[in-house]
Amino acid sequence: MAMTITKLHDHVGAEIGGVDLSRPLDEATFAAIEEAFYQSSVLVVRRQDLPPERQIAFSQRFGPLEVHILDQYQLAGHPEILLLSNKTDADGKPLGLVEAGRYWHTDVSFTEVPSMGSFLYAVEIPPAGGDTLFASQFAAYDALPQDWKERLAGLKALHGLNKTTAPKFTDAQLASVKGVEHPLIRTHPKTGRKALYAGTFALRVLDVSEAESDEILAFLRDHWAQDDIVYRHRWQANDLVMWDNRSVLHCATLFDARFIRHMHRTTVAGEKPV
Ligand code: SIN
């Protein structure tokens, strides 16, 4: 069957059909997927049978994988897979990160070299809720009024964690995360497009007064996920959704905790934002 690429939204997201990611892909097919990924920022591939080894092998074609700092939630035998899950073990201990990322963010922007791509595979999903929202930061940048484009150009923000954004981090894990500076506008290395680069981990705009930093962050919070630039992914079991952290913010949504939501996440290493 020929591969298809269908846009899901004017600004963000495409669905790939006619591929079986449980088998190795030829170079041409992979190159088409990679290009669609950079252009659309989010790719959805439904009805995939992806055991951990295959998810790892497919993700690795995009680059080296990262191992998340939350080592207590790694899948046994596969440290590259972070469990996002409300399942518990026999003693009632959570197997995975529960309530992960229920605020707009780009993955691990609190590190010097944040993740390039995140690949989330739905093993078990609740009957309703638990959707993931994606906001195009190419479109957020394009929609900025010209005076804001000029004001933000050259500014950097300090990205970091706190107990609100990282309640599951131990004190030692939190202490190991030092704040890092990243530009508020970054240029995507593959497409050359400018994207807004902020999100909830951006705590303070640098080289401006605290009042001005608060004003800029409040403006950005209102701007970075306007309805018209957001794609809402409604999960089905066996979906693989991958997103480019350099050009989208994402946000997980609530679901009824009586049901299980069990996901496997791999992350591909990125580069220092410029
Ligand atoms: C995340 O990676 O931030 C979580 C996304 C989700 O669980 O929907």
Side-chain angles (χ1 to χ4, degrees), residues 133-156:
L133 311 177
F134 296 95
S136 167
Q137 298 306 285
F138 288 147
Y141 174 78
D142 291 346
L144 282 171
Q146 186 57 30
D147 57 330
W148 273 94
K149 284 186 179 156
E150 285 161 19
R151 188 171 177 188
L152 299 178
L155 282 180
K156 291 186 170 188

Side-chain angles (χ1 to χ4, degrees), residues 84 100-101 105 107 120 132 235 243 250 252 261 265:
L84 305 185
H105 67 287
D107 284 328
L120 193 58
T132 309
W235 290 92
W243 61 90
H250 62 284
R261 186 177 190 268
R265 194 178 91 178

